[in-house]
Amino acid sequence: MAVVFYISMSEVWKNKPERTLEVLTSLKLLPEEKYRLMFKFDGVRLAPKNSCDCVGVGEREVYQLQNFMVKDELASITERRKKEFLAFRQRYPLAKEVILAQPNIPLSYPIQGAEVTLKASFGTLNTLADTLEHVVLGRGKDELTISTSSVALLNHILRHVTYTSTKYLLDVVDVVSFSTGTHLVRFPVIIRQPAMPRLFDPGPDNNIASLVTITTKTFLRYHKLRVFIKSLRQYYPDIKLIVADDSEHPEKIEEANVEHYIMPFGKGWFAGRNLAISQVTTKYYLWVDDDFLFTKNTKIEKLVDVLENSDLDLVGGSVTGNTYNFKLHYEEGEDSSCLHIRSGAYHRLEGFPNCVVTSAVVNFFLARSEESRRVGFDPKLQRVAHTEFFVDALGAFRVGSCSDVSIGHQPLRSGTDPQLAEVQKTYSKFRANTKEQVKFKLALHYFKNRLKCLTKA
């Protein structure tokens, strides 16, 4: 809480006028070249400002998103984006109204008769105090007036003032005014509908299978998927696996504790993720690729322990020793915003020496099911997508990464079998990150995330 002290200038001038004049004339701010360095993170200045820019330095990749838009459509798209953003900001404001207390507020009530008035906007005011009718006027209305010569009675009435919301509002602030004479105080009343809890039963024995569901998306590569399932069952024979499959000619996966969901052909990567996590009934889900391999170091229990004992929503592990952690720095400007992607993490996760706090992790992570469903995976992203989920979750998800939990990866080549080689060739055509795919994703960021540029380093 910030505390501001107000000093009577008349007293200061009376005691040392020369010194006071010297102090006043010496008041100044740091030069711009100094204060610009105060709020830099990974080379990005995250201080409040009207606009942002993406500047290329060294090997940093810079994408100006307007360059990936259809020029003839850019103006109309930008106008639609502006309209949508204003509606978004109205629904989800950055901060509640700041209320400033004026320096002339009395520190005690007058010893003679006083009249106090309270006014509300979204509700009615009353008091539990039992008084004569003329002492409290306006009970049950948006303006309450208290008149009494007794300070003790006045304090008793104010101590038991009630506020009742008269409008159905989920999360707003009503600024109630308190006035007496020429003095005015404004204070906030938070109106909030308590959220309905959605709890997941971990079972009487807190078994890992009651807490976690394994989820994956597959396409064509059934030979990889079956190898993965075999490795999973070696360490977790009873845990449920959900497979989303958009292959053209689906093959049956007849395994115990496997739910196999068939999608339209080529529906896409993120659509498959949405389908998989929509069917999760446990508190957490573990996301894996269909060509991963469980090993003795794939300890799901360790990741569960992190989420159970921290404020994280998602925690990643490592794939063959690589964590691929990324930090996302977001700058919001008046007309558009900038995103800066940097490798690494912010700091260690307290209580877990092998874990860090970051913004994005590798394709091997444990996440809270309900929170993930709130963010969702954009089904427009059909081929190559991963970081985009964490971009959409920025500000809503707390992400971590632990290097002591790892999973293996199957060899990229499928040996000498010509049939499997042909499957891999077909798979690669759909999986390739083409120029058209890159252009599509950057154009999507332009409108959906209101970005004008992004940098990677």
Side-chain angles (χ1 to χ4, degrees):
M1 178 183 291
V3 180
V4 180
F5 295 93
Y6 293 94
I7 302 173
S8 172
M9 294 306 298
S10 59
E11 292 297 317
V12 176
W13 278 95
K14 181 172 66 177
N15 293 332
K16 292 184 178 180
E18 298 84 3
R19 176 58 180 161
T20 302
L21 182 61
E22 178 185 341
V23 170
L24 290 176
T25 55
S26 65
L27 296 177
K28 57 183 181 179
L29 296 174
L30 290 171
E32 183 177 354
E33 61 269 18
K34 286 190 176 181
Y35 71 70
R36 284 180 67 88
L37 299 174
M38 293 174 63
F39 308 103
K40 273 201 170 184
F41 300 89
D42 293 318
V44 181
R45 180 170 170 256
L46 298 178
K49 48 188 179 293
N50 294 329
S51 63
C52 62
D53 294 294
C54 297
V55 180
V57 178
E59 298 182 358
R60 181 184 302 168
E61 297 179 54
V62 178
Y63 299 89
Q64 302 296 340
L65 303 191
Q66 287 191 7
N67 298 337
F68 299 88
M69 308 296 294
V70 178
K71 290 185 179 180
D72 294 342
E73 300 176 359
L74 181 59
S76 61
I77 289 175
T78 302
E79 187 61 31
R80 295 199 305 271
R81 186 184 72 168
K82 179 181 178 181
K83 181 180 178 181
E84 289 298 315
F85 179 73
L86 291 175
F88 169 81
R89 216 13 111 224
Q90 184 176 5
R91 187 171 177 82
Y92 304 104
L94 284 175
K96 305 298 183 184
E97 180 182 358
V98 176
I99 301 172
L100 301 176
Q102 299 301 315
N104 64 344
I105 295 173
L107 299 181
S108 61
Y109 298 111
I111 60 175
Q112 296 181 342
E115 182 175 286
V116 171
T117 301
L118 293 93
K119 293 181 180 180
S121 298
F122 302 140
T124 59
L125 300 162
N126 211 323
T127 178
L128 300 179
D130 187 5
T131 67
L132 297 174
E133 289 187 7
H134 71 273
V135 175
V136 180
L137 301 177
R139 286 177 179 265
K141 298 181 179 180
D142 60 3
E143 182 172 326
L144 191 72
T145 301
I146 306 167
S147 302
T148 179
S149 59
S150 168
V151 174
L153 178 57
L154 178 59
N155 282 329
H156 174 68
I157 296 170
L158 290 173
R159 190 176 296 117
H160 295 91
V161 165
T162 65
Y163 176 101
T164 303
S165 173
T166 55
K167 296 184 178 181
Y168 185 75
L169 302 167
L170 295 184
D171 187 10
V172 297
V173 173
D174 191 353
V175 180
V176 176
S177 65
F178 171 103
S179 61
T180 176
T182 59
H183 303 288
L184 175 68
V185 178
R186 300 169 71 218
F187 59 89
V189 174
I190 298 175
I191 303 171
R192 181 173 295 150
Q193 169 66 50
M196 179 66 68
R198 298 189 65 179
L199 309 180
F200 294 86
D201 185 1
D205 54 357
N206 217 37
N207 186 279
I208 192 69
S210 300
L211 285 168
V212 178
T213 301
I214 312 297
T215 55
T216 192
K217 158 76 173 59
T218 196
F219 180 68
L220 302 178
R221 302 187 302 177
Y222 293 102
H223 59 296
K224 300 276 189 182
L225 177 61
R226 289 188 171 93
V227 172
F228 162 73
I229 294 175
K230 184 178 180 180
S231 73
L232 169 65
R233 294 303 175 219
Q234 183 179 349
Y235 297 96
Y236 295 96
D238 301 322
I239 202 166
K240 181 189 292 184
L241 168 65
I242 293 178
V243 180
D245 183 354
D246 61 346
S247 302
E248 186 173 11
H249 304 290
E251 296 181 13
K252 285 188 177 181
I253 304 297
E254 296 178 342
E255 299 273 355
N257 295 318
V258 174
E259 293 182 5
H260 186 199
Y261 292 93
I262 307 301
M263 306 166 62
F265 172 59
K267 187 62 177 176
W269 179 235
F270 269 15
R273 281 193 173 188
N274 277 333
L275 173 57
I277 69 169
S278 74
Q279 300 305 304
V280 172
T281 58
T282 52
K283 186 176 182 179
Y284 305 112
Y285 70 94
L286 183 78
W287 185 266
V288 295
D289 285 353
D290 62 354
D291 60 348
F292 284 173
L293 284 171
F294 268 66
T295 72
K296 63 180 181 179
N297 295 319
T298 313
K299 300 292 186 182
I300 305 176
E301 293 83 357
K302 286 187 176 182
L303 298 180
V304 170
D305 184 48
V306 172
L307 292 190
E308 289 281 289
N309 295 285
S310 73
D311 64 351
L312 297 182
D313 298 297
L314 180 152
V315 59
S318 72
V319 178
T320 63
N322 298 308
T323 55
Y324 301 103
N325 298 329
F326 292 96
K327 294 171 285 184
L328 302 176
H329 298 305
Y330 174 65
E331 294 182 279
E332 186 169 275
E334 289 184 351
D335 59 340
S336 54
S337 306
C338 307
L339 180 68
H340 308 280
I341 304 174
R342 301 290 182 267
S343 61
Y346 300 110
H347 54 77
R348 291 285 172 189
L349 178 63
E350 186 176 352
F352 297 92
N354 296 306
C355 304
V356 295
V357 176
T358 186
S359 299
V361 297
V362 71
N363 257 1
F364 168 54
F365 57 79
L366 185 78
R368 299 181 188 274
S369 304
E370 202 59 34
E371 282 71 7
S372 293
R373 283 191 279 254
R374 289 194 187 105
V375 175
F377 297 87
D378 193 336
K380 291 189 180 75
L381 299 166
Q382 294 183 310
R383 296 292 172 260
V384 182
H386 179 65
T387 307
E388 291 78 9
F389 167 69
F390 294 98
V391 171
D392 286 346
L394 190 62
F397 247 41
R398 292 171 288 264
V399 179
S401 177
C402 298
S403 59
D404 60 336
V405 181
S406 64
I407 198 166
H409 197 289
Q410 297 178 43
L412 295 177
R413 296 184 180 276
S414 301
T416 57
D417 188 323
Q419 186 176 355
L420 295 182
E422 188 62 29
V423 169
Q424 186 63 40
K425 183 179 179 181
T426 305
Y427 172 84
S428 298
K429 289 180 181 179
F430 285 88
R431 190 75 172 89
N433 196 17
T434 63
K435 289 183 179 180
E436 290 74 19
Q437 285 292 318
V438 172
K439 182 178 180 180
F440 174 80
K441 287 195 290 184
L442 294 174
L444 184 63
H445 282 311
Y446 179 83
F447 193 101
K448 184 180 72 170
N449 303 121
R450 192 177 169 264
L451 295 178
K452 73 174 182 181
C453 62
L454 63 86
T455 67
K456 294 181 179 181

